[in-house]
Amino acid sequence: YSPILKESFYFMMAYYEGRNENCTRANECLMGTKTMLQAYERYAQESQQQKEKQSSQSYNTTMQRNIRTADKLQTTTPSSTTLLFEDKLTPELYPGFPRRPGVDNFYCNYIVHSPTENFVHFYSRIIGSKNC
């Protein structure tokens, strides 16, 4: 579970429903990257507000909350973070990974991958969307 990814889906739905004022079809924003940035910024802001709120509470209350939170996080938080990249699927990049057949559009064969793990996670474009 990634709170940032979950929040980015909220912003994507707002985009498609016309409720995302910062990213609309009219201003031609890059919806995927913009909504991910919006989600990250909201998460960072809420995390900062939570830190400020915790620092204003008494030491004992904060310690008890941290212990309870740490117990929960031990089962849900990954021990590391992997940075993913988006790239055009060229013939040299992952030669064994299937290309989308019959798709002539330049943008359709973009992928999200982890170069350090040499692993493709998914295609980043949806066939039938504006850029595919």
Side-chain angles (χ1 to χ4, degrees), residues 20-81:
N20 190 335
E21 296 174 5
N22 295 316
C23 185
T24 66
R25 291 184 172 116
N27 67 15
E28 297 185 17
C29 77
L30 297 173
M31 188 265 297
T33 53
K34 180 64 175 181
T35 56
M36 188 66 78
L37 176 62
Q38 288 176 307
Y40 173 79
E41 288 173 343
R42 178 178 283 180
Y43 180 77
Q45 180 184 20
E46 289 175 356
S47 295
Q48 182 62 33
Q49 289 171 348
Q50 185 177 18
K51 286 179 186 176
E52 290 170 2
K53 183 179 177 182
Q54 284 182 348
S55 67
S56 68
Q57 296 172 344
S58 71
Y59 176 79
N60 289 334
T61 304
T62 302
M63 286 303 292
Q64 290 172 356
R65 180 174 289 121
N66 288 344
I67 291 168
R68 286 195 303 269
T69 302
D71 289 343
K72 290 177 187 175
L73 291 177
Q74 286 177 352
T75 59
T76 60
T77 303
S79 59
S80 65
T81 301

Side-chain angles (χ1 to χ4, degrees), residues 106-124:
F106 175 81
Y107 295 107
C108 286
N109 281 305
Y110 269 76
I111 55 166
V112 173
H113 66 107
S114 171
T116 57
E117 297 172 351
N118 199 31
F119 183 78
V120 177
H121 291 271
F122 53 87
Y123 292 101
S124 63

